[in-house]
């Protein structure tokens, strides 16, 4: 991957910039020691690394506004960061950028059960939002795999999903309002807890904008009543085609379970070796979860099993207890850990039409054989959001290059069949140069003109999302 | 209401402009006869009228692109129009504007049941979208009261809702992609049928943008499987407070029915006189509908009735047959017709926190007594979307002025309690000068900068949404 060249004029003014930040913030909020900065050189896409110019960890919207106003005046790039769990390099720094972390903004500001919302500071982790309303029987629906660690700020930046999004939608469907600080320090409020704001829906543009438009410091989130019960069924098949066709048939029949998760043979075997969940040895496995009252779950599971039997399943294993349910989910939930124990991996994130599932899995197998790299597939099949994991050796730069090339081919395949480059991880640095595969020049231009409005000097999370050459010339042209 | 002054230079060039349009379109697509133009002088907010310079009714995206490119070159304002059912004057013309109607674009372009979407031209009516997929057991969820007549283009422009949006969301939650023609004629595609596009979510900005950013000619819409059954229950109360508190308690308990409709005494009496649905004579009435399998509906209705009994209902009437269900809905569905027979009315559209329902109804009663005007309330209570109907005499200009003043007071009240100026009808001409009640100058400025990007000369649906003085100076500044 090509790294952007840092601005030498900014590097030369490093000490002055850091001194200015220390004049705004308490001493413990500015990190500049080169050793300490190594902790900030990458996010969860650890293949790419670069220490930032400095890191600030403010404690309030007001402090963030002051920091941004100051850095805007000096034209210093800023990389906003939540918990740093991005798998697409969304919070990876450049050498001339200051990382602005929101990790210290973790408060709950307001809860209303009558109007079903919670207002939080965005450094709060995803899971601790649900924890704050659990006692009253409510939860926050989007559930990324990293939900124990990831911050709401990053969920909003990447429009994160999760296993249960088939039913509840992704972040944008559960986000009601934000407080956002623009690059010039202006604090703007968009949306709010009550239905539909008039005027332009800028909230939707902010969600999924990957830190390109502003730093979101507060969020109002929809909370939902916890369902009475939830129950998974495990369906095992002797081919990926059969499993894929079964997913299509379920969706086609108008059943919308809470989750439809798919694992292929390499993934099943790795998970079984790691977590010993008792999965059958088969070619493809679906975990389908339904929710609701007892009768409702029983009726839905009966319909799902009836449809599945048309695709000659090797096994249909319905959970009959809490413990069986936990064991069905155990392997799936440890998939990333299991793969990580086997090898380095790059986790892709693309979407496809559900009806193209079988074809795409076959093509991925052919492509990976061609590159001589192993790929394991584990993903949210119900909404066609794939996560192929490419196994490679991170200490071998040729292997990394092959992995990047295979990843690009797989994402091109997603676009060719009518899908998208990213489902929930974002474009980040990983996919910025593939944006031209997805978008015509006029489409990209329209997006960049919106960026111009919010961030005229192209300082926020620079060198991401848009193709590197395009965004660099844009930045230079508007400096 | 203050009318904008037409641009005399455009009026002077009327014949030239019409001749140019006739060179682009077939003869039957250009309407210029002054008598014929009277049909286009208003939409469903018929209190305000002004014949346009001309009307064009193209038959394709390509024709629309040519028309816009031509009018853009001459800097002629354009008012996009669907079926003209806007209750906020969203498609009301100005004297110097050409109306661009999409009524002739009614085709179904693609249907996929595997991937659960339909792609249509946007002149198609809302109800005929559902009709196109009904045979396979699917439907399109947003259901504005005007669904027999209103066009998908207008649904997208206003982000329309409907009685069943409590469960299924409004248009923006069911819209997957659009083809939109910008004012300079550029054709842009945003979103698509498969999950989550990368880059900025411009689809969300287009939805609800009231024709300010472009003309949407094609739309990809989410279709859903029809539920197995649906059943309403009618709950009658002897005070609006009790009914409002009951709605809060149901939402608070985590029950999300498909619809919770509210009618107050003036509305109940008018509907009963008109439709003879057999409603009880009471102060407030809720119609709550649940959906699903038999056991599911029975269980939900039992929970709802149990909660309702805490608020001393006068009557709980559960539908035991199709015919009883139809009769429960009959009065509600004829509410607008019933009011129209009694007097002229202005239908407001604001949202409030559900928890403020009782307080807001009491304040509306006090305000309307102060102005000496009758107000009937009928609305979607579950999501706090109110539709107060102010009765007045359209032939008495003083009465109209009082009605406007009362309407503005009621909408200010919605904003004061934390709600919004509009839930689903849009801002249009009706509420443009109230936008400053809702938004701070920086918020409005951010929205107008987005308008600058899409429509630099401020030609599309001019003199709407933004306060008149602000939008006129913007237009002049960028002419």
């Amino acid at each position: 991957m090509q790294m952007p060249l840092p601005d030498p004029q900014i590097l030369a003014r490093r000490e002055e910039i850091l001194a200015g930040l220390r004049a705004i913030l308490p001493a413990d909020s500015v990190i500049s020691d080169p050793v300490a900065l190594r902790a900030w050189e990458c996010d969860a896409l650890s293949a790419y690394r670069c220490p930032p110019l400095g890191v600030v960890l403010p404690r309030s919207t007001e402090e963030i506004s002051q920091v941004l106003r100051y850095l805007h005046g000096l034209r210093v790039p800023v990389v906003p960061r939540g918990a740093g769990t991005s798998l697409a390099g969304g919070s990876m720094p450049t050498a001339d950028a200051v990382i602005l972390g929101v990790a210290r903004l973790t408060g709950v500001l307001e809860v209303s059960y009558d109007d079903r919302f919670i207002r939080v500071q965005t450094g709060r982790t995803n899971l601790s939002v649900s924890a704050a309303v659990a006692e009253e029987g409510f939860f926050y629906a989007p559930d990324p795999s990293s939900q124990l660690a990831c911050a709401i700020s990053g969920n909003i930046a990447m429009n994160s999903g999760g296993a249960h999004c088939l039913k509840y939608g992704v972040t944008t469907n559960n986000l009601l309002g934000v407080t956002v600080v623009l690059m010039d320090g202006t604090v703007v409020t968009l949306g709010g807890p009550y239905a539909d704001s008039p005027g332009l829906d800028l909230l939707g543009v902010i969600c999924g904008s990957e830190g390109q438009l502003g730093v979101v410091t507060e969020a109002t989130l929809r909370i939902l009543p916890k369902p009475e019960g939830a129950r998974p069924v495990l369906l095992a098949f002797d081919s990926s085609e059969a499993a894929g066709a079964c997913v299509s048939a379920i969706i086609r029949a108008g059943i919308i379970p809470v989750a439809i998760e798919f694992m292929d043979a390499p993934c099943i075997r790795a998970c079984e070796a790691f977590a010993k969940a008792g999965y059958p040895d088969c070619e493809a496995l679906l975990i389908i979860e339904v929710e609701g009252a007892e009768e409702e779950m029983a009726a839905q599971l009966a319909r799902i099993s009836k449809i599945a039997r048309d695709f000659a399943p090797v096994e249909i294993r319905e959970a009959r207890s809490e413990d069986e349910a936990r064991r069905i989910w155990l392997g799936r939930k440890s998939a990333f850990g299991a793969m990580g124990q086997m090898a380095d991996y790059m986790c892709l994130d693309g979407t496809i039409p559900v009806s193209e599932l079988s074809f795409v899995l076959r093509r991925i197998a052919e492509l990976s054989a061609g590159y001589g790299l192993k790929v394991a597939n584990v993903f949210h099949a119900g909404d066609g959001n794939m996560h192929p994991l490419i196994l490679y050796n991170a200490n071998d730069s040729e292997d990394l290059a092959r992995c990047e090339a295979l990843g690009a081919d797989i994402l091109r395949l997603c676009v060719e069949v009518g899908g998208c480059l990213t489902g929930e991880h974002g474009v980040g640095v990983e996919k910025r140069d593939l944006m031209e595969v997805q978008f015509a020049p006029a489409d990209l231009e329209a997006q960049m003109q919106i960026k111009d409005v919010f961030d005229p000097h192209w300082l926020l999370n620079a060198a991401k999302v848009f193709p590197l050459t395009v965004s660099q010339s844009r930045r230079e042209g508007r400096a």
Side-chain angles (χ1 to χ4, degrees), chain A residues 108-449:
Chain A
V108 172
L109 305 171
E110 190 181 0
V111 180
S112 166
Y113 298 104
D114 273 8
D115 292 311
R116 289 193 292 121
F117 71 84
I118 183 170
R119 191 158 59 87
V120 298
Q121 291 183 306
T122 58
R124 194 171 182 89
T125 63
N126 174 290
L127 202 59
S128 71
V129 171
S130 283
V133 295
E135 209 164 293
E136 293 279 333
F138 283 77
F139 76 111
Y140 174 60
D143 59 340
S145 297
S146 57
Q147 67 180 149
L148 188 66
C150 66
I152 292 296
S153 62
N155 290 185
I156 294 169
M158 300 306 165
N159 189 19
S160 301
H164 289 68
C165 288
L166 179 56
K167 178 165 175 184
Y168 294 113
V170 293
T171 301
T172 195
N173 307 114
N174 293 274
L175 178 68
L176 300 173
V178 292
T179 298
V180 56
V181 187
L182 305 184
M183 187 64 212
D184 67 1
T186 311
V187 178
V188 177
T189 304
L190 299 171
Y194 313 113
D196 199 33
S197 287
L200 294 177
D201 177 13
L202 298 182
L203 180 60
V205 185
I206 294 291
C207 190
S209 64
E210 305 199 17
Q212 294 288 314
L213 306 184
V215 177
V216 177
T217 60
E218 292 180 15
T220 305
L221 306 169
R222 169 67 70 218
I223 52 174
L224 296 171
K226 262 189 243 169
E228 290 179 56
R231 187 174 302 157
V233 59
L234 180 154
L235 304 172
F237 297 90
D238 58 13
S239 76
S240 285
E241 281 75 10
C246 181
V247 172
S248 285
I250 290 168
I251 299 288
R252 173 79 174 73
I255 305 173
I256 304 179
V258 180
I260 304 184
E261 295 291 296
F262 186 113
M263 298 166 76
D264 70 359
C267 183
I268 297 165
R269 277 157 212 158
C271 289
E272 192 52 30
F274 181 78
K276 299 183 180 51
Y279 285 174
D281 189 25
C282 59
E283 287 305 305
L285 196 148
L286 298 177
I287 298 174
I288 304 185
E289 183 152 284
V290 300
E291 268 184 4
E294 187 53 42
E295 306 76 22
E296 208 178 331
M297 293 194 290
Q300 276 213 7
L301 286 175
R303 284 186 70 196
I304 289 168
S305 296
K306 183 167 182 295
I307 291 169
R309 275 193 285 274
D310 290 342
F311 301 93
V314 181
E315 186 177 343
I316 299 183
R317 187 189 300 176
E318 201 175 299
R320 286 158 307 179
S321 67
E322 281 291 308
D323 186 58
E324 287 188 7
R326 194 189 54 77
R327 285 173 61 84
I328 286 177
W329 276 112
L330 178 65
R332 167 64 184 90
K333 292 206 165 163
S334 54
F336 284 45
M339 306 309 294
Q341 211 185 38
M342 286 175 62
D344 303 304
Y345 66 79
M346 190 170 285
C347 175
L348 303 182
D349 168 52
T351 73
I352 57 165
V354 174
S355 51
E356 298 285 348
L357 211 50
S358 304
F359 170 74
V360 170
L361 286 170
R362 201 165 55 238
R363 279 294 294 144
I364 289 178
E366 289 165 9
L367 288 167
S368 61
Y371 280 96
L373 288 169
K374 280 192 186 148
V375 173
N377 283 289
V378 48
F379 56 92
H380 316 314
D383 49 12
N385 188 182
M386 306 194 73
H387 293 309
L389 300 174
I390 306 177
L391 306 186
Y392 75 107
N393 179 354
N395 294 320
D396 176 344
S397 65
E398 276 181 35
D399 222 38
L400 173 59
R402 264 203 305 279
C403 171
E404 289 177 333
L406 171 56
D409 277 358
I410 291 174
L411 293 174
R412 271 187 212 102
L413 170 65
C414 291
V415 175
E416 276 162 27
V417 299
C420 292
L421 285 179
T422 171
E424 55 189 7
H425 296 175
V427 175
V429 297
E430 183 201 13
K431 282 164 284 198
R432 64 185 174 205
D433 293 317
L434 289 170
M435 285 286 274
E436 287 162 322
V437 175
Q438 183 96 54
F439 293 108
D443 295 331
L444 274 178
E445 177 60 29
Q447 295 184 34
M448 291 193 296
Q449 287 185 15

Side-chain angles (χ1 to χ4, degrees), chain A residues 72 182-184 205 209 212-214 443-460 466 470-479:
Chain A
H72 180 251
L182 305 184
M183 187 64 212
D184 67 1
V205 185
S209 64
Q212 294 288 314
L213 306 184
D443 295 331
L444 274 178
E445 177 60 29
Q447 295 184 34
M448 291 193 296
Q449 287 185 15
I450 301 295
K451 166 86 169 161
D452 290 342
V453 168
F454 283 84
D455 178 21
H457 304 290
W458 282 62
L459 298 171
L460 264 175
F466 300 104
V470 176
S471 75
Q472 281 194 326
S473 72
R474 197 84 168 193
R475 185 178 159 198
E476 281 152 20
R478 303 179 63 94

